[in-house]
Structures are given as structure tokens and as C-alpha cells.
Coordinates of all heavy atoms in Angstrom, one line a residue:
M18 N 12.2 -95.0 85.1 CA 12.4 -93.5 85.2 C 12.7 -93.0 83.8 O 13.4 -93.6 83.0 CB 13.5 -93.3 86.2 CG 13.7 -91.8 86.4 SD 14.5 -91.6 88.0 CE 14.8 -89.9 88.0
G19 N 12.3 -91.7 83.6 CA 12.6 -91.1 82.3 C 14.0 -90.5 82.2 O 14.8 -90.6 83.1
T20 N 14.2 -89.7 81.2 CA 15.4 -89.0 80.9 C 15.4 -87.7 81.7 O 14.4 -87.0 81.7 CB 15.5 -88.7 79.4 OG1 15.4 -89.9 78.7 CG2 16.8 -88.0 79.1
V21 N 16.5 -87.4 82.3 CA 16.7 -86.1 83.1 C 17.3 -85.1 82.2 O 18.3 -85.3 81.6 CB 17.5 -86.3 84.4 CG1 17.7 -85.0 85.1 CG2 16.9 -87.4 85.3
I22 N 16.7 -83.9 82.1 CA 17.2 -82.8 81.3 C 17.2 -81.5 82.2 O 16.6 -81.5 83.3 CB 16.3 -82.5 80.1 CG1 14.9 -82.3 80.4 CG2 16.4 -83.7 79.1 CD1 14.0 -82.0 79.2
S23 N 18.0 -80.6 81.8 CA 18.2 -79.3 82.6 C 17.5 -78.2 82.0 O 17.4 -78.0 80.8 CB 19.7 -79.0 82.7 OG 20.4 -80.0 83.3
L24 N 17.0 -77.3 82.9 CA 16.3 -76.1 82.5 C 17.4 -75.0 82.2 O 18.4 -74.9 83.0 CB 15.4 -75.6 83.6 CG 14.4 -74.6 83.4 CD1 13.4 -75.1 82.4 CD2 13.7 -74.2 84.7
T25 N 17.3 -74.2 81.1 CA 18.3 -73.2 80.9 C 18.0 -71.9 81.7 O 16.9 -71.9 82.4 CB 18.3 -72.7 79.4 OG1 17.1 -72.1 79.1 CG2 18.5 -73.9 78.5
R26 N 18.8 -71.0 81.7 CA 18.6 -69.7 82.5 C 17.3 -69.0 82.0 O 16.7 -68.3 82.7 CB 19.8 -68.8 82.3 CG 21.0 -69.2 83.0 CD 22.1 -68.2 82.8 NE 23.3 -68.8 83.4 CZ 24.5 -68.2 83.4 NH1 24.6 -67.1 82.8 NH2 25.5 -68.8 83.9
K27 N 17.0 -69.2 80.7 CA 15.8 -68.6 80.1 C 14.5 -69.4 80.4 O 13.5 -69.1 79.9 CB 16.0 -68.4 78.6 CG 17.0 -67.3 78.3 CD 17.1 -67.1 76.8 CE 18.1 -66.0 76.5 NZ 18.1 -65.7 75.0
G28 N 14.7 -70.5 81.1 CA 13.5 -71.4 81.4 C 13.2 -72.3 80.3 O 12.0 -72.8 80.2
Q29 N 14.1 -72.6 79.4 CA 13.8 -73.4 78.2 C 14.3 -74.9 78.5 O 15.3 -75.1 79.2 CB 14.5 -72.9 77.0 CG 14.0 -71.5 76.6 CD 14.9 -70.8 75.5 OE1 16.1 -71.1 75.4 NE2 14.3 -69.9 74.8
L30 N 13.7 -75.8 77.8 CA 14.1 -77.2 77.8 C 14.3 -77.7 76.4 O 13.7 -77.2 75.5 CB 13.0 -78.1 78.4 CG 12.6 -77.8 79.9 CD1 11.3 -78.7 80.2 CD2 13.7 -78.2 80.8
T31 N 15.2 -78.6 76.2 CA 15.4 -79.3 75.0 C 14.8 -80.7 75.1 O 15.1 -81.4 76.0 CB 16.9 -79.4 74.6 OG1 17.5 -78.1 74.5 CG2 17.1 -80.2 73.3
I32 N 13.9 -81.0 74.2 CA 13.2 -82.3 74.3 C 14.2 -83.3 73.7 O 14.6 -83.1 72.5 CB 11.9 -82.3 73.5 CG1 10.9 -81.2 74.1 CG2 11.2 -83.7 73.5 CD1 9.7 -81.0 73.3
P33 N 14.5 -84.3 74.4 CA 15.5 -85.3 73.9 C 15.0 -86.0 72.7 O 13.8 -86.2 72.5 CB 15.6 -86.4 75.1 CG 15.2 -85.6 76.3 CD 14.1 -84.6 75.8
K34 N 16.0 -86.4 71.8 CA 15.6 -87.0 70.6 C 14.7 -88.3 70.7 O 13.8 -88.5 70.0 CB 16.9 -87.4 69.8 CG 16.6 -88.0 68.5 CD 17.9 -88.4 67.8 CE 17.6 -88.9 66.4 NZ 18.9 -89.3 65.7
S35 N 15.0 -89.1 71.8 CA 14.2 -90.3 72.0 C 12.7 -89.9 72.3 O 11.8 -90.6 71.8 CB 14.7 -91.1 73.2 OG 14.7 -90.3 74.3
V36 N 12.5 -88.8 73.0 CA 11.1 -88.3 73.2 C 10.5 -87.8 72.0 O 9.3 -88.1 71.7 CB 11.1 -87.3 74.4 CG1 9.7 -86.7 74.6 CG2 11.6 -87.9 75.6
R37 N 11.2 -87.0 71.2 CA 10.7 -86.4 69.9 C 10.3 -87.5 69.0 O 9.3 -87.5 68.3 CB 11.8 -85.5 69.3 CG 12.1 -84.2 70.0 CD 12.9 -83.2 69.2 NE 14.0 -83.8 68.5 CZ 15.2 -83.8 69.0 NH1 15.5 -83.3 70.3 NH2 16.2 -84.2 68.3
E38 N 11.2 -88.6 68.9 CA 10.9 -89.7 68.1 C 9.6 -90.5 68.5 O 8.8 -90.8 67.8 CB 12.0 -90.7 68.0 CG 13.2 -90.1 67.1 CD 14.4 -90.9 67.1 OE1 14.5 -91.9 68.0 OE2 15.3 -90.7 66.3
A39 N 9.5 -90.7 69.9 CA 8.4 -91.4 70.4 C 7.1 -90.7 70.2 O 6.0 -91.3 69.9 CB 8.6 -91.6 71.9
L40 N 7.1 -89.3 70.2 CA 5.9 -88.5 70.0 C 5.8 -88.1 68.5 O 4.8 -87.4 68.2 CB 5.9 -87.3 70.9 CG 5.9 -87.5 72.4 CD1 6.0 -86.2 73.1 CD2 4.6 -88.2 72.8
D41 N 6.7 -88.5 67.7 CA 6.8 -88.1 66.3 C 6.7 -86.6 66.1 O 5.9 -86.1 65.3 CB 5.6 -88.8 65.5 CG 5.8 -88.7 64.0 OD1 6.9 -88.6 63.5 OD2 4.7 -88.6 63.3
L42 N 7.5 -85.9 66.9 CA 7.6 -84.5 66.8 C 8.5 -84.1 65.7 O 9.7 -84.6 65.6 CB 8.1 -83.9 68.1 CG 7.1 -84.1 69.3 CD1 7.7 -83.6 70.6 CD2 5.8 -83.3 69.0
K43 N 8.1 -83.1 64.9 CA 8.9 -82.5 63.9 C 9.1 -81.0 64.1 O 8.3 -80.5 64.9 CB 8.2 -82.7 62.5 CG 7.9 -84.2 62.2 CD 9.1 -85.0 61.8 CE 8.8 -86.3 61.3 NZ 8.8 -87.4 62.3
P44 N 10.1 -80.4 63.5 CA 10.2 -78.9 63.7 C 8.8 -78.2 63.4 O 8.1 -78.6 62.5 CB 11.2 -78.5 62.6 CG 12.1 -79.7 62.5 CD 11.1 -80.9 62.6
F45 N 8.5 -77.3 64.2 CA 7.3 -76.4 64.2 C 6.0 -77.1 64.6 O 5.0 -76.5 64.6 CB 7.1 -75.8 62.8 CG 8.4 -75.0 62.3 CD1 9.2 -75.6 61.3 CD2 8.7 -73.9 62.9 CE1 10.3 -74.9 60.9 CE2 9.9 -73.2 62.5 CZ 10.7 -73.7 61.5
D46 N 6.1 -78.4 65.1 CA 5.0 -79.0 65.6 C 4.6 -78.3 66.9 O 5.4 -77.7 67.6 CB 5.2 -80.5 66.0 CG 5.1 -81.4 64.8 OD1 4.6 -81.0 63.7 OD2 5.5 -82.6 64.8
R47 N 3.3 -78.4 67.3 CA 2.9 -77.8 68.5 C 2.8 -78.9 69.6 O 2.4 -80.0 69.3 CB 1.5 -77.1 68.3 CG 1.7 -75.9 67.3 CD 0.4 -75.2 67.0 NE -0.8 -75.9 67.2 CZ -1.9 -75.4 67.6 NH1 -2.0 -74.2 68.0 NH2 -3.0 -76.2 67.7
V48 N 3.1 -78.5 70.8 CA 3.1 -79.5 71.9 C 2.3 -78.8 73.0 O 2.4 -77.7 73.4 CB 4.6 -79.7 72.4 CG1 4.6 -80.6 73.6 CG2 5.4 -80.3 71.3
E49 N 1.4 -79.6 73.6 CA 0.6 -79.2 74.8 C 1.3 -79.7 76.0 O 1.8 -80.8 76.1 CB -0.8 -79.8 74.7 CG -1.6 -79.3 75.9 CD -3.0 -80.0 75.9 OE1 -3.1 -81.1 75.5 OE2 -4.0 -79.3 76.3
V50 N 1.4 -78.8 77.0 CA 2.0 -79.2 78.3 C 0.8 -79.1 79.3 O 0.2 -78.1 79.5 CB 3.1 -78.2 78.8 CG1 3.6 -78.6 80.1 CG2 4.2 -78.2 77.7
E51 N 0.6 -80.2 80.0 CA -0.5 -80.3 81.0 C 0.2 -80.6 82.4 O 1.0 -81.5 82.5 CB -1.4 -81.4 80.7 CG -2.5 -81.6 81.7 CD -3.4 -82.8 81.4 OE1 -3.0 -83.7 80.5 OE2 -4.5 -82.9 82.0
V52 N -0.1 -79.8 83.3 CA 0.4 -80.0 84.7 C -0.6 -80.8 85.5 O -1.8 -80.5 85.6 CB 0.6 -78.7 85.4 CG1 1.1 -78.9 86.9 CG2 1.7 -77.9 84.6
V53 N -0.2 -82.0 86.0 CA -1.1 -82.9 86.8 C -0.3 -83.1 88.1 O 0.7 -83.7 88.2 CB -1.3 -84.2 86.1 CG1 -2.1 -85.2 86.9 CG2 -1.9 -84.0 84.7
G54 N -0.9 -82.5 89.1 CA -0.2 -82.5 90.4 C 1.1 -81.9 90.3 O 1.2 -80.7 90.0
R55 N 2.2 -82.6 90.6 CA 3.6 -82.1 90.5 C 4.3 -82.6 89.3 O 5.5 -82.6 89.2 CB 4.3 -82.3 91.8 CG 3.7 -81.6 93.0 CD 4.5 -81.7 94.2 NE 5.9 -81.3 94.0 CZ 6.4 -80.1 94.1 NH1 5.6 -79.1 94.3 NH2 7.7 -79.8 94.0
E56 N 3.5 -83.0 88.3 CA 4.1 -83.5 87.0 C 3.7 -82.7 85.9 O 2.6 -82.1 85.9 CB 3.7 -85.0 86.8 CG 4.2 -86.0 87.8 CD 3.7 -87.4 87.5 OE1 2.9 -87.6 86.5 OE2 4.1 -88.3 88.3
A57 N 4.5 -82.7 84.8 CA 4.1 -82.0 83.5 C 4.1 -83.1 82.5 O 5.0 -83.9 82.4 CB 5.1 -81.0 83.2
R58 N 3.1 -83.1 81.7 CA 2.9 -84.1 80.6 C 2.9 -83.4 79.3 O 2.3 -82.4 79.1 CB 1.6 -84.9 80.8 CG 1.6 -85.7 82.1 CD 0.3 -86.4 82.3 NE 0.3 -87.1 83.5 CZ -0.8 -87.7 84.0 NH1 -1.9 -87.7 83.4 NH2 -0.7 -88.3 85.2
L59 N 3.6 -84.0 78.3 CA 3.7 -83.4 77.0 C 2.8 -84.3 76.0 O 2.8 -85.5 76.2 CB 5.1 -83.4 76.4 CG 6.2 -82.7 77.2 CD1 7.5 -82.9 76.5 CD2 5.8 -81.2 77.3
R60 N 2.2 -83.6 75.1 CA 1.6 -84.4 74.0 C 1.6 -83.5 72.7 O 1.5 -82.3 72.8 CB 0.1 -84.8 74.3 CG -0.9 -83.8 74.2 CD -2.3 -84.3 74.4 NE -3.3 -83.3 74.2 CZ -3.9 -83.0 73.0 NH1 -3.6 -83.7 72.0 NH2 -4.7 -82.1 72.9
K61 N 1.7 -84.2 71.6 CA 1.7 -83.5 70.3 C 0.3 -83.1 70.0 O -0.7 -83.8 70.2 CB 2.2 -84.5 69.2 CG 2.3 -83.9 67.9 CD 2.8 -84.9 66.9 CE 2.9 -84.3 65.5 NZ 3.5 -85.3 64.6
V62 N 0.1 -81.8 69.6 CA -1.2 -81.3 69.2 C -1.4 -81.5 67.7 O -0.6 -81.0 66.9 CB -1.3 -79.8 69.6 CG1 -2.6 -79.2 69.2 CG2 -1.0 -79.6 71.1
P63 N -2.4 -82.2 67.4 CA -2.7 -82.4 65.9 C -3.1 -81.1 65.2 O -3.6 -80.2 65.8 CB -3.8 -83.4 65.9 CG -4.4 -83.4 67.2 CD -3.4 -82.9 68.2
L64 N -2.7 -81.0 63.9 CA -3.1 -79.8 63.2 C -4.6 -79.8 63.0 O -5.3 -80.8 62.9 CB -2.5 -79.9 61.8 CG -1.0 -79.6 61.7 CD1 -0.5 -79.8 60.2 CD2 -0.7 -78.2 62.1
T65 N -5.1 -78.6 62.9 CA -6.5 -78.4 62.6 C -6.6 -77.6 61.3 O -5.6 -77.0 60.8 CB -7.2 -77.5 63.7 OG1 -6.6 -76.2 63.7 CG2 -7.0 -78.2 65.1
L66 N -7.8 -77.5 60.7 CA -7.9 -76.7 59.5 C -7.5 -75.2 59.8 O -7.0 -74.5 58.9 CB -9.3 -76.7 59.0 CG -9.7 -78.1 58.4 CD1 -11.2 -78.1 58.0 CD2 -8.9 -78.4 57.2
D67 N -7.8 -74.7 61.0 CA -7.4 -73.3 61.3 C -5.9 -73.1 61.2 O -5.5 -72.0 60.9 CB -7.9 -72.9 62.7 CG -9.4 -72.8 62.7 OD1 -10.1 -72.5 61.7 OD2 -10.0 -72.9 63.8
D68 N -5.2 -74.2 61.6 CA -3.7 -74.1 61.5 C -3.2 -73.9 60.1 O -2.1 -73.3 59.8 CB -3.0 -75.3 62.1 CG -3.3 -75.5 63.6 OD1 -3.5 -74.4 64.3 OD2 -3.4 -76.6 64.1
L69 N -4.0 -74.4 59.1 CA -3.6 -74.4 57.7 C -4.0 -73.2 57.0 O -3.5 -72.9 55.9 CB -4.2 -75.7 57.0 CG -3.8 -77.0 57.6 CD1 -4.5 -78.2 56.9 CD2 -2.3 -77.2 57.6
V70 N -4.9 -72.4 57.6 CA -5.4 -71.2 56.9 C -4.2 -70.2 56.8 O -3.4 -70.0 57.7 CB -6.5 -70.5 57.8 CG1 -6.8 -69.1 57.2 CG2 -7.7 -71.4 57.7
G71 N -4.0 -69.7 55.6 CA -3.0 -68.7 55.4 C -1.7 -69.3 54.9 O -0.8 -68.6 54.5
I72 N -1.6 -70.6 54.8 CA -0.3 -71.2 54.3 C -0.2 -71.0 52.8 O 0.9 -70.6 52.3 CB -0.3 -72.8 54.6 CG1 -0.1 -73.0 56.1 CG2 0.8 -73.4 53.8 CD1 -0.1 -74.4 56.6
L73 N -1.3 -71.1 52.1 CA -1.3 -70.9 50.6 C -1.8 -69.5 50.4 O -2.6 -69.0 51.1 CB -2.2 -71.9 49.9 CG -1.9 -73.3 50.0 CD1 -2.9 -74.2 49.4 CD2 -0.5 -73.6 49.4
P74 N -1.2 -68.9 49.3 CA -1.7 -67.5 49.0 C -3.1 -67.6 48.5 O -3.6 -68.6 48.0 CB -0.7 -67.1 47.9 CG -0.2 -68.4 47.3 CD -0.2 -69.4 48.4
P75 N -3.9 -66.5 48.6 CA -5.3 -66.5 48.2 C -5.3 -66.7 46.6 O -4.4 -66.2 46.0 CB -5.8 -65.2 48.6 CG -4.6 -64.4 48.9 CD -3.5 -65.3 49.3
L76 N -6.3 -67.3 46.1 CA -6.5 -67.4 44.7 C -6.8 -66.0 44.1 O -7.6 -65.3 44.7 CB -7.6 -68.4 44.4 CG -7.4 -69.8 44.8 CD1 -8.6 -70.7 44.6 CD2 -6.2 -70.4 44.0
D77 N -6.2 -65.7 43.0 CA -6.5 -64.4 42.4 C -6.8 -64.7 40.9 O -5.9 -65.1 40.2 CB -5.3 -63.5 42.5 CG -5.6 -62.1 42.1 OD1 -6.8 -61.7 42.1 OD2 -4.6 -61.4 41.6
P78 N -8.0 -64.6 40.5 CA -9.2 -64.1 41.2 C -9.7 -65.3 42.1 O -9.4 -66.4 41.8 CB -10.2 -63.7 40.1 CG -9.8 -64.6 39.0 CD -8.3 -64.8 39.0
P79 N -10.6 -64.9 43.1 CA -11.1 -66.0 43.9 C -11.9 -67.0 43.0 O -12.5 -66.6 42.0 CB -12.1 -65.2 44.8 CG -11.6 -63.8 44.8 CD -11.0 -63.6 43.5
M80 N -11.8 -68.3 43.4 CA -12.5 -69.3 42.6 C -13.7 -69.9 43.3 O -13.7 -70.0 44.5 CB -11.5 -70.5 42.4 CG -11.9 -71.5 41.4 SD -10.7 -72.8 41.2 CE -9.4 -71.9 40.4
D81 N -14.7 -70.1 42.5 CA -15.9 -70.7 43.0 C -15.7 -72.1 43.5 O -14.9 -72.9 42.9 CB -16.9 -70.8 41.8 CG -18.2 -71.5 42.2 OD1 -18.9 -71.0 43.1 OD2 -18.5 -72.6 41.6
P82 N -16.2 -72.5 44.7 CA -15.9 -73.8 45.3 C -16.3 -75.0 44.3 O -15.6 -76.0 44.2 CB -16.8 -73.9 46.5 CG -17.0 -72.5 46.9 CD -17.0 -71.7 45.6
D83 N -17.4 -74.9 43.6 CA -17.8 -75.9 42.6 C -16.7 -76.0 41.5 O -16.4 -77.1 41.1 CB -19.1 -75.6 42.0 CG -20.2 -75.7 43.0 OD1 -20.1 -76.5 44.0 OD2 -21.3 -75.0 42.8
E84 N -16.1 -74.9 41.1 CA -15.1 -74.9 40.1 C -13.8 -75.6 40.7 O -13.1 -76.3 40.0 CB -14.8 -73.5 39.6 CG -13.6 -73.4 38.6 CD -13.9 -74.0 37.3 OE1 -15.1 -74.5 37.0 OE2 -13.0 -74.0 36.4
M85 N -13.5 -75.3 41.9 CA -12.4 -76.0 42.6 C -12.5 -77.5 42.6 O -11.6 -78.2 42.3 CB -12.2 -75.4 44.0 CG -11.8 -74.0 44.1 SD -11.8 -73.3 45.7 CE -10.4 -74.1 46.4
V86 N -13.7 -78.0 42.9 CA -14.0 -79.4 42.9 C -13.8 -80.0 41.5 O -13.2 -81.0 41.4 CB -15.4 -79.7 43.5 CG1 -15.8 -81.1 43.3 CG2 -15.4 -79.3 45.0
R87 N -14.4 -79.3 40.5 CA -14.3 -79.8 39.2 C -12.8 -79.9 38.7 O -12.4 -80.9 38.2 CB -15.0 -78.8 38.2 CG -15.1 -79.3 36.8 CD -15.6 -78.3 35.8 NE -14.7 -77.1 35.7 CZ -13.5 -77.2 35.0 NH1 -13.1 -78.3 34.4 NH2 -12.8 -76.1 34.9
L88 N -12.0 -78.9 39.0 CA -10.6 -78.9 38.7 C -9.9 -80.0 39.4 O -9.0 -80.7 38.8 CB -10.0 -77.5 38.9 CG -10.3 -76.4 38.0 CD1 -9.7 -75.1 38.5 CD2 -9.8 -76.7 36.6
A89 N -10.2 -80.2 40.7 CA -9.5 -81.3 41.4 C -9.8 -82.6 40.9 O -8.9 -83.5 40.7 CB -9.9 -81.2 42.9
K90 N -11.1 -82.9 40.5 CA -11.5 -84.1 39.9 C -10.7 -84.3 38.5 O -10.3 -85.4 38.2 CB -13.0 -84.2 39.7 CG -13.7 -84.4 41.0 CD -15.2 -84.4 40.7 CE -16.0 -84.7 42.0 NZ -17.5 -84.7 41.8
E91 N -10.7 -83.3 37.8 CA -10.0 -83.3 36.5 C -8.5 -83.7 36.6 O -8.0 -84.5 35.9 CB -10.2 -81.9 35.8 CG -10.1 -81.9 34.3 CD -10.4 -80.5 33.8 OE1 -11.6 -80.2 33.6 OE2 -9.4 -79.7 33.6
E92 N -7.9 -83.0 37.6 CA -6.5 -83.3 37.9 C -6.2 -84.7 38.3 O -5.3 -85.4 37.9 CB -6.0 -82.3 38.9 CG -4.5 -82.3 39.1 CD -4.0 -81.3 40.1 OE1 -4.4 -80.1 39.9 OE2 -3.3 -81.6 41.0
R93 N -7.1 -85.2 39.2 CA -7.0 -86.6 39.7 C -7.2 -87.6 38.5 O -6.4 -88.5 38.4 CB -8.0 -86.8 40.8 CG -7.9 -88.2 41.4 CD -8.8 -88.5 42.5 NE -10.2 -88.1 42.1 CZ -11.2 -87.9 42.9 NH1 -11.0 -87.9 44.2 NH2 -12.4 -87.6 42.5
A94 N -8.1 -87.3 37.7 CA -8.4 -88.2 36.5 C -7.1 -88.2 35.6 O -6.7 -89.2 35.1 CB -9.6 -87.7 35.7
Q95 N -6.5 -87.0 35.4 CA -5.3 -86.9 34.6 C -4.2 -87.7 35.2 O -3.5 -88.4 34.5 CB -4.9 -85.4 34.4 CG -3.6 -85.2 33.6 CD -3.8 -85.8 32.1 OE1 -4.8 -85.7 31.5 NE2 -2.7 -86.3 31.6
R96 N -4.0 -87.6 36.5 CA -2.9 -88.4 37.1 C -3.2 -89.9 37.0 O -2.2 -90.7 36.8 CB -2.8 -88.0 38.6 CG -2.1 -86.7 38.8 CD -1.6 -86.5 40.3 NE -2.7 -86.8 41.3 CZ -3.4 -85.9 41.8 NH1 -3.3 -84.6 41.6 NH2 -4.4 -86.2 42.7
W97 N -4.5 -90.3 37.1 CA -4.8 -91.7 37.0 C -4.5 -92.2 35.6 O -3.9 -93.3 35.4 CB -6.3 -91.9 37.3 CG -6.7 -93.3 37.4 CD1 -6.7 -94.1 38.5 CD2 -7.2 -94.1 36.3 NE1 -7.1 -95.4 38.2 CE2 -7.4 -95.4 36.9 CE3 -7.4 -94.0 35.0 CZ2 -7.9 -96.5 36.1 CZ3 -7.9 -95.0 34.2 CH2 -8.1 -96.2 34.8
R98 N -4.9 -91.4 34.5 CA -4.6 -91.8 33.2 C -3.1 -91.9 32.9 O -2.6 -92.8 32.2 CB -5.1 -90.8 32.2 CG -6.7 -90.8 32.0 CD -7.2 -90.0 30.9 NE -7.0 -88.6 31.1 CZ -7.9 -87.8 31.7 NH1 -9.0 -88.3 32.2 NH2 -7.7 -86.5 31.9
E99 N -2.3 -91.0 33.5 CA -0.8 -91.1 33.3 C -0.2 -92.3 34.0 O 0.7 -92.9 33.5 CB -0.2 -89.8 33.9 CG -0.4 -88.6 33.1 CD 0.0 -87.3 33.8 OE1 0.6 -87.4 34.9 OE2 -0.2 -86.2 33.2
K100 N -0.8 -92.7 35.1 CA -0.3 -93.8 35.9 C -0.7 -95.2 35.3 O 0.1 -96.1 35.2 CB -0.7 -93.7 37.4 CG -0.1 -94.7 38.3 CD -0.4 -94.4 39.7 CE 0.3 -95.4 40.6 NZ 0.0 -95.2 42.0
F101 N -2.0 -95.2 34.9 CA -2.6 -96.5 34.5 C -2.9 -96.6 33.0 O -3.3 -97.6 32.5 CB -3.8 -96.9 35.3 CG -3.6 -97.0 36.8 CD1 -4.0 -96.0 37.6 CD2 -2.9 -98.0 37.3 CE1 -3.8 -96.1 39.0 CE2 -2.6 -98.1 38.7 CZ -3.1 -97.1 39.5
G102 N -2.7 -95.5 32.3 CA -2.8 -95.5 30.9 C -4.2 -95.6 30.3 O -4.6 -96.0 29.4

């Protein structure tokens, strides 16, 4: 049998630490609740690219995708040189 928790007056639940750890839930993670018969099942919802849109400010001025790839490769090469000489 699982852990018993109480519903608040506002209809809220606190997910016990053991469950958060088992599902690897962190603050602001999204959780899906699925009702199956008379049971509710929780699962962590993985991030999608759509979830990440808007986290970073837009580039000003906008950058060409090819230029972004070139800069990323350049930066990776620089980190490699610093690490391995």
C-alpha cells in the first residue's frame, strides 16, 4: 500500500518526498494525472522544445542559423583546447 495524504480545503495535495524522489520531480516540473477507474496515476512529463521557447531572450540582432552553428563549433573547439591543450 502507498502513502496516505490528505486533501486541503482548496483541493490541493502535497506530493510526499519519497514520491518526488522516486519520480525525480523538481520544482516547476510538470506532472500528468491520469484517472484509471477509481485510481489516479501520476507521471513526470518530460520537457519539450516548446517548453523551452521563451526562456532565453531573443538575439538582438537576430542571428543566422548557420552563424549560430559556426559560433557553437568555435566555442566547443576553444573549450577543448583549454581542457586538453
Side-chain angles (χ1 to χ4, degrees):
M18 183 157 173
T20 305
V21 176
I22 56 178
S23 297
L24 195 65
T25 69
R26 289 181 187 177
K27 293 184 177 184
Q29 299 169 333
L30 297 173
T31 298
I32 301 172
K34 184 178 181 182
S35 60
V36 175
R37 293 192 313 268
E38 288 174 346
L40 296 177
D41 191 32
L42 293 174
K43 305 286 189 266
F45 308 107
D46 278 348
R47 297 179 333 144
V48 176
E49 178 183 38
V50 180
E51 178 185 14
V52 177
V53 179
R55 295 189 52 83
E56 295 181 357
R58 298 178 183 171
L59 300 178
R60 80 173 183 90
K61 182 177 181 176
V62 177
L64 283 176
T65 65
L66 289 177
D67 288 338
D68 296 326
L69 301 176
V70 171
I72 289 177
L73 297 174
L76 297 173
D77 189 26
M80 190 179 293
D81 175 63
D83 292 332
E84 177 68 4
M85 292 173 72
V86 170
R87 187 191 68 73
L88 287 174
K90 287 179 179 179
E91 203 174 276
E92 187 176 312
R93 182 175 56 199
Q95 178 62 32
R96 286 196 311 261
W97 189 89
R98 284 190 294 273
E99 290 171 1
K100 187 172 184 178
F101 299 109

